Amino acid sequence: MLRIHDRSPHLLASPGIVGVDEAGRGPLAGPVVAAAVLLPERFDLRGLNDSKKLSAEQRAAQFHRLKADAWIAWAAVDAGEIDRLNILQATFEAMRRAIAELGGRATEVIIDGDRTPPGLTMPAHPIVKGDAKYATIAAASIVAKHVRDELMIQYSVQYPRYGFHKHYGYPTPEHLSALQLHGPCAIHRRSFARVRELVEQPCLTLES
């Protein structure tokens, strides 16, 4: 049963409970990434926050601290699978995979949002705006965002015409301009309307 203990002015700790969050539902390209985090009983919560409120440098520092001192797992569902499943079901699938990676440590989970993935074998509680309320969810949001950003930076080397290292696949004016000029590449989500309109245009990639 979910028990909450107040240990921070702005975040609640949830000892023994796994926090889950995702990054990348809105972009036109790249994977959706989900993370699951279990914090140790006396983990220092200072610096943890909703990943959107942290700079890239702050997220990286917290990610490495979590990687060293907490139990973390993440999973990515790529653009092809997003197109096949739809973005909501792909997000649920990424969450299920991340939770499964923690093995028997995940006996109860709290998930950012208003619903939980079907098919979980442990109690699960959706928490609206949970990444701003619970330390474990904030930690998961940091892991998911950091991992996805790093993946998009790698994709930017493979597909340099799109500037993925700057906008991470979100529909910025720069990204939309590159998409209009070059057409979609292999990591664009063809089921998304703005990409679908250009799907017949050629994909230009960096040759290896």
Side-chain angles (χ1 to χ4, degrees):
M1 184 175 185
L2 182 65
R3 300 181 184 89
I4 299 302
H5 304 283
D6 191 355
R7 295 192 180 177
S8 168
H10 68 288
L11 287 175
L12 297 172
S14 47
I17 298 175
V18 171
V20 179
D21 202 0
E22 54 74 27
R25 287 186 63 174
L28 304 181
V32 61
V33 175
V37 175
L38 178 61
L39 297 177
E41 179 71 24
R42 292 178 176 82
F43 188 83
D44 185 357
L45 304 184
R46 287 176 295 182
L48 293 182
N49 206 338
D50 172 3
S51 65
K52 295 183 290 296
K53 298 179 180 179
L54 301 178
S55 68
E57 292 75 17
Q58 290 171 326
R59 283 194 300 269
Q62 292 299 323
F63 171 81
H64 291 296
R65 190 165 73 93
L66 289 162
K67 187 176 181 181
D69 297 329
W71 294 276
I72 70 174
W74 62 86
V77 171
D78 65 22
E81 204 164 359
I82 290 170
D83 290 338
R84 180 173 64 83
L85 295 174
N86 76 46
I87 186 59
L88 176 61
Q89 295 306 317
T91 301
F92 286 162
E93 179 60 23
M95 288 180 173
R96 285 191 292 266
R97 293 177 188 176
I99 293 167
E101 283 294 314
L102 286 180
R105 294 187 181 91
T107 58
E108 187 170 2
V109 299
I110 53 176
I111 299 173
D112 185 52
D114 60 0
R115 64 183 84 184
T116 60
L120 296 180
T121 59
M122 72 287 294
H125 313 275
I127 310 289
V128 175
K129 297 183 179 178
D131 51 4
K133 299 174 182 177
Y134 293 93
T136 47
I137 299 179
S141 77
I142 289 168
V143 172
K145 174 65 173 168
H146 177 79
V147 168
R148 187 179 188 280
D149 284 358
E150 289 297 303
L151 290 173
M152 295 306 294
I153 290 170
Q154 294 174 31
Y155 279 128
S156 190
V157 176
Q158 188 175 0
Y159 305 103
R161 299 176 185 271
Y162 298 92
F164 291 134
H165 63 292
K166 298 177 182 179
H167 51 68
Y168 306 104
Y170 284 89
T172 64
E174 179 183 3
H175 186 192
L176 293 175
S177 177
L179 188 58
Q180 181 70 43
L181 181 62
H182 305 296
C185 73
I187 68 164
H188 278 101
R189 301 172 181 179
R190 283 158 166 73
S191 58
F192 281 39
R194 284 181 166 176
V195 180
R196 189 169 62 242
E197 295 167 357
L198 301 169
V199 76
E200 297 303 324
Q201 294 189 24
C203 170
L204 301 181
T205 64
L206 181 65
E207 294 183 1
S208 57

